[in-house]
Amino acid sequence: MDSSITAPLYRDITDFAHDMPSWVQHLAEIWTELGLLVFGVLFITGWWRARRADDGALALAVLAPIATAFAYVSSEMLKSVVDEERPCRAVVGAAASLVPCPPTGDWSFPSNHSAIAGAAAVALAIARPRLAWLTAPLALLMAFSRVFVGVHYPHDVAVGLLLGAAVAAVAVAVLYRPARSLVRTVRSSGAPLAVWASGPGAATAGRSRRRGKRH
């Protein structure tokens, strides 16, 4: 992979990072490692909320983390083929990375963090379109942070975002119907664990609310 095209931009961003106050640098270091946990929380809250929704909504909520996992595997496979060295070792004259440079063999292209963030942002937005205003900026911030702390080239994160988003969208489209059928089957099984995991569904929840109002 020819990294010379985006290496100057990498230098500019890492120089910019070193000009920032220390608290901004520390926030970036925390976010770049732990920011993906925010998407994990959104997965859980989306599933919990969808337990009282229809079969399709629950299927989309369950597919969000699954589609993200597919995106991660796709990114990791591509990374193992390209074998691009990390810019924190390869770019001459660049400022030192804010976080430890990953070891040789942990290749740079594409960015797994960006692929996961892009996939999660798209999958969550498909499940709950109103979340797009939140998930898209979070994904972009995650991608930028990987360059800001010095461990990825700009093209690594750009391709990671696009790859993750594309894989997630395709995975959700392909798996939606079987996932909805599976949700319907689980909800009708009557097993206690299945009932808890899948929730009452929109119809049952609606009847419960109406009974509560009558009482």
Side-chain angles (χ1 to χ4, degrees):
M1 186 76 185
D2 183 8
S3 307
S4 61
I5 296 175
T6 61
L9 180 57
Y10 169 82
R11 291 192 192 93
D12 290 341
I13 294 175
T14 51
D15 286 344
F16 171 73
H18 278 267
D19 289 337
M20 289 292 99
S22 60
W23 65 268
V24 174
Q25 296 175 357
H26 291 323
L27 282 178
E29 293 168 20
I30 293 170
W31 172 255
T32 201
E33 295 299 336
L34 301 179
L36 294 180
L37 294 178
V38 176
F39 289 108
V41 172
L42 291 174
F43 288 147
I44 294 171
T45 57
W47 156 71
W48 189 258
R49 179 187 178 97
R51 291 170 69 255
R52 301 185 70 83
D54 59 34
D55 297 342
L58 181 57
L60 290 174
V62 172
L63 283 176
I66 295 174
T68 302
F70 277 116
Y72 167 73
V73 172
S74 300
S75 174
E76 191 64 26
M77 291 174 63
L78 182 57
K79 185 188 291 280
S80 66
V81 171
V82 175
D83 292 358
E84 177 188 73
E85 186 57 274
R86 295 277 181 166
C88 37
R89 267 189 301 275
V91 178
V92 177
S97 58
L98 297 181
V99 298
C101 193
T104 299
D106 185 353
W107 305 115
S108 190
F109 179 88
S111 163
N112 283 342
H113 282 70
S114 300
I116 293 170
V122 168
L124 286 165
I126 292 173
R128 294 177 61 190
R130 291 182 181 179
L131 278 181
W133 69 268
L134 174 63
T135 61
L138 286 178
L140 291 172
L141 185 59
M142 171 55 67
F144 179 75
S145 76
R146 301 304 288 165
V147 184
F148 186 90
V149 300
V151 295
H152 278 291
Y153 291 99
H155 66 268
D156 295 339
V157 301
V159 173
L161 283 173
L162 293 174
L163 175 66
V167 170
V170 171
V172 170
V174 170
L175 297 175
Y176 173 68
R177 286 191 177 183
R180 186 178 58 183
S181 299
L182 179 60
V183 167
R184 189 177 300 118
T185 301
V186 170
R187 277 179 164 169
S188 62
S189 70
L193 181 59
V195 170
W196 176 84
S198 62
T204 304
R207 288 196 296 270
S208 298
R209 285 193 294 267
R210 288 193 293 272
R211 284 197 298 269
K213 290 180 180 178
R214 286 198 294 269
H215 291 301

